[in-house]
Amino acid sequence: MTTVGLVASTRPLSRGTHTPHHELGQHAAWYVVAGVITTGAQSALFLMLQPPVGSQVANLMAIALTTVANTEFHRRVTFAGRPSEAGKRHLQDFLTFLFYAGYGSIVLASLDAVVGNPSAWMQTVVLFAASGVGGAIRFVVLRWWVFAARH
């Protein structure tokens, strides 16, 4: 290896140049930040809405209020620079809402069946944990379908 090759290969990447590994790590880090913020917002909304409307409706409302903002964050920050079609993003918003609405409803119904009359805090903790599992699935969908790299 020549000295020029060594210098070129050890030089830090410029801001606009990313290896696939570096890009994946960056995407994952921003995704986690957005996920924690969004799940925190969903949890707060759920806790505020649960007493007057019940757990199932509160969950649906919290998801509806945070899904679009979360996807927009991913478009502008997490996957910035990766092109995506508006139609694909809107479909992803809709599918995300359906997934989390169904998934959250099943989680809450299962908790009711096991615990009987769980507190709002217990429901919130269980929904928060379930969001982590659903979030991992969503990351894969976002990275490799909605914001897929184009070669």
Side-chain angles (χ1 to χ4, degrees):
M1 179 183 266
T2 67
T3 306
V4 173
L6 181 60
V7 171
S9 66
T10 59
R11 192 174 7 159
L13 294 172
S14 68
R15 183 162 168 78
T17 307
H18 301 287
T19 64
H21 178 71
H22 180 265
E23 185 182 60
L24 176 61
Q26 204 171 36
H27 288 171
W30 278 114
Y31 185 83
V32 168
V33 167
V36 168
I37 291 168
T38 301
T39 304
Q42 281 178 346
S43 297
L45 286 167
F46 177 82
L47 282 170
M48 289 186 315
L49 296 168
Q50 194 268 359
V53 299
S55 60
Q56 292 290 347
V57 173
N59 184 50
L60 294 176
M61 291 173 72
I63 291 167
L65 292 170
T66 57
T67 297
V68 174
N70 180 272
T71 300
E72 189 61 20
F73 179 90
H74 290 312
R75 182 181 77 78
R76 292 178 185 254
V77 178
T78 306
F79 300 105
R82 281 199 167 188
S84 67
E85 300 166 19
K88 202 184 269 190
R89 283 194 314 273
H90 295 312
L91 176 61
Q92 192 272 333
D93 278 344
F94 180 68
L95 293 175
T96 297
F97 174 77
L98 288 179
F99 171 76
Y100 280 111
Y103 182 55
S105 294
I106 291 168
V107 166
L108 288 171
S110 298
L111 181 62
D112 285 342
V114 172
V115 175
N117 191 18
S119 70
W121 280 102
M122 182 182 285
Q123 292 171 329
T124 303
V125 168
V126 170
L127 285 171
F128 192 92
S131 287
V133 174
I137 295 166
R138 184 170 182 231
F139 178 75
V140 171
V141 170
L142 284 171
R143 179 157 163 80
W144 284 282
W145 180 53
V146 177
F147 298 103
R150 298 218 170 93
H151 301 284

